[in-house]
Amino acid sequence: MSGTTKKTDQKAALDIASWLFNVVTSVGIILVNKALMATYGFSFATTLTGLHFGTTTLLTTFLTWLGYIQPSQLPWPDLLKFVLFANFSIVGMNVSLMWNSVGFYQIAKLSMIPVSCLLEVVLDNVRYSRDTKLSILLVLAGVAVCTVTDVSVNLNGFLAAAIAVWSTALQQYYVHYLQRKYSLGSFNLLAHTAPVQAASLLLVGPFLDYWLTNQRVDAFNFSFMSLFFLILSCSIAVGTNLSQFICIGRFTAVSFQVLGHMKTILVLVLGFTFFGKEGLNMQVVLGMLIAILGMIWYGNASSKPGGKERRSLSIPITKAQKLNGLSETDESDGKV
């Protein structure tokens, strides 16, 4: 086996492992949060996210103290921009879910892929082949058939959804951008961003949650089981946050969004398996099949020469950055 083939096989194995890590943690936290909020009544989503980042901060601080995370630099202006995008994404999604019908909320989530594509085209000069574009449309169509039911919209809901979509797309683009620009590994970037996100969300979260739910988080009556699920949610969130940075670093924001809809399908399947088959019909099954075919097509089309290519890198990667051991991936124009 040649060195090039071995390196390609190793990269493929790491890509699969990274994606499985993200799928397992993401689906796990969805199911745990569903139990925590629906069963035990802890409906304080923004505060919960702040606690997630607080737990992540404790872990990254501990690993830095042990020497597993090496010192790195991230200028404050870039850090604050990232946190701004990320927090607007979280708040925007929560408000959008409250003000919009479930159908329009799902449509807004689907629109993140076209927005992420636009950002890559404009900011990174990425070009997509016809097959890659069609495969993305097939994924969107399949997930829409699965999840979109009633669709009603109002001005406030539309604005909240627009803020959520654009801030989420910018945050995910910025993960990839910062990792390339400053040669940061996933743990390094998380160590920079998690403390600021935790502090800001824990400061704003209780007030926002009170506005959304008319309930105070400090008045919540914890039981043993609700506390158990809260701790479990925070623990899994560390893996979810890390796996998101790893996946976007290894792939791109668009691929992360496309493959992310596989988690939507998986959550639907697990929901029907564990929580009953109410809502399962031929439309949902057809949508799942269409989405899965689209994902397979996207993986094949985007990996072909010209399927998705960056004509000219907007961020020069220096020789020193390439040699930096902190980077977890070999940067190339062939990312999918």
Side-chain angles (χ1 to χ4, degrees), residues 102-123:
V102 174
F104 186 77
Y105 175 77
Q106 291 293 344
I107 288 177
K109 287 179 66 177
L110 292 174
S111 68
M112 288 179 196
I113 291 182
V115 172
S116 294
C117 288
L118 178 63
L119 289 176
E120 289 192 355
V121 168
V122 173
L123 300 177

Side-chain angles (χ1 to χ4, degrees), residues 80-112:
L80 292 178
K81 277 191 285 187
F82 175 87
V83 171
L84 184 69
F85 295 146
N87 287 357
F88 266 104
S89 168
I90 294 164
V91 173
M93 281 297 178
N94 290 339
V95 175
S96 175
L97 184 58
M98 182 184 73
W99 284 350
N100 291 312
S101 66
V102 174
F104 186 77
Y105 175 77
Q106 291 293 344
I107 288 177
K109 287 179 66 177
L110 292 174
S111 68
M112 288 179 196

Side-chain angles (χ1 to χ4, degrees), residues 65-205:
W65 179 68
L66 291 178
Y68 288 108
I69 300 179
Q70 299 301 316
S72 58
Q73 297 295 322
L74 180 60
W76 268 100
D78 284 325
L79 174 59
L80 292 178
K81 277 191 285 187
F82 175 87
V83 171
L84 184 69
F85 295 146
N87 287 357
F88 266 104
S89 168
I90 294 164
V91 173
M93 281 297 178
N94 290 339
V95 175
S96 175
L97 184 58
M98 182 184 73
W99 284 350
N100 291 312
S101 66
V102 174
F104 186 77
Y105 175 77
Q106 291 293 344
I107 288 177
K109 287 179 66 177
L110 292 174
S111 68
M112 288 179 196
I113 291 182
V115 172
S116 294
C117 288
L118 178 63
L119 289 176
E120 289 192 355
V121 168
V122 173
L123 300 177
D124 281 351
N125 201 20
V126 169
R127 293 295 179 266
Y128 297 91
S129 69
R130 186 189 59 140
D131 281 359
T132 304
K133 294 174 185 175
L134 290 175
S135 67
I136 290 174
L137 289 176
L138 190 62
V139 172
L140 294 175
V143 177
V145 169
C146 278
T147 59
V148 176
T149 51
D150 61 309
V151 179
S152 59
V153 62
N154 57 75
L155 179 60
N156 289 340
F158 178 82
L159 292 175
I163 291 171
V165 168
W166 277 95
S167 55
T168 301
L170 284 165
Q171 182 255 346
Q172 292 183 355
Y173 172 83
Y174 227 54
V175 169
H176 192 63
Y177 171 87
L178 292 176
Q179 286 187 337
R180 284 191 295 141
K181 183 175 182 180
Y182 297 108
S183 194
L184 294 171
S186 301
F187 265 117
N188 294 99
L189 185 56
L190 202 56
H192 285 293
T193 59
V196 184
Q197 281 194 264
S200 56
L201 289 173
L202 289 175
L203 182 64
V204 175

Side-chain angles (χ1 to χ4, degrees), residues 112-310:
M112 288 179 196
I113 291 182
V115 172
S116 294
C117 288
L118 178 63
L119 289 176
E120 289 192 355
V121 168
V122 173
L123 300 177
D124 281 351
N125 201 20
V126 169
R127 293 295 179 266
Y128 297 91
S129 69
R130 186 189 59 140
D131 281 359
T132 304
K133 294 174 185 175
L134 290 175
S135 67
I136 290 174
L137 289 176
L138 190 62
V139 172
L140 294 175
V143 177
V145 169
C146 278
T147 59
V148 176
T149 51
D150 61 309
V151 179
S152 59
V153 62
N154 57 75
L155 179 60
N156 289 340
F158 178 82
L159 292 175
I163 291 171
V165 168
W166 277 95
S167 55
T168 301
L170 284 165
Q171 182 255 346
Q172 292 183 355
Y173 172 83
Y174 227 54
V175 169
H176 192 63
Y177 171 87
L178 292 176
Q179 286 187 337
R180 284 191 295 141
K181 183 175 182 180
Y182 297 108
S183 194
L184 294 171
S186 301
F187 265 117
N188 294 99
L189 185 56
L190 202 56
H192 285 293
T193 59
V196 184
Q197 281 194 264
S200 56
L201 289 173
L202 289 175
L203 182 64
V204 175
F207 299 100
L208 180 65
D209 288 332
Y210 179 74
W211 177 54
L212 293 174
T213 66
N214 203 31
Q215 298 180 50
R216 288 172 49 180
V217 65
D218 61 313
F220 183 76
N221 186 24
F222 281 99
S223 64
F224 173 79
M225 288 305 297
S226 63
L227 189 60
F228 169 77
F229 274 99
L230 178 63
I231 294 172
L232 183 60
S233 175
C234 290
S235 302
I236 297 174
V238 176
T240 306
N241 291 332
L242 177 62
S243 66
Q244 181 191 31
F245 283 15
I246 291 174
C247 284
I248 296 177
R250 295 193 70 84
F251 311 114
T252 63
V254 172
S255 293
F256 183 74
Q257 284 285 345
V258 171
L259 295 173
H261 287 302
M262 180 62 77
K263 291 181 287 188
T264 303
I265 304 300
L266 187 56
V267 167
L268 285 172
V269 171
L270 290 175
F272 293 136
T273 302
F274 293 111
F275 300 108
K277 294 181 172 57
E278 182 180 353
L280 181 63
N281 51 47
M282 283 304 299
Q283 176 183 331
V284 173
V285 173
L286 178 62
M288 289 180 181
L289 292 175
I290 292 172
I292 291 170
L293 287 173
M295 291 169 200
I296 295 171
W297 188 10
Y298 175 83
N300 183 57
S302 62
S303 62
K304 289 181 178 178
K308 178 181 177 183
E309 59 185 5
R310 183 175 288 111

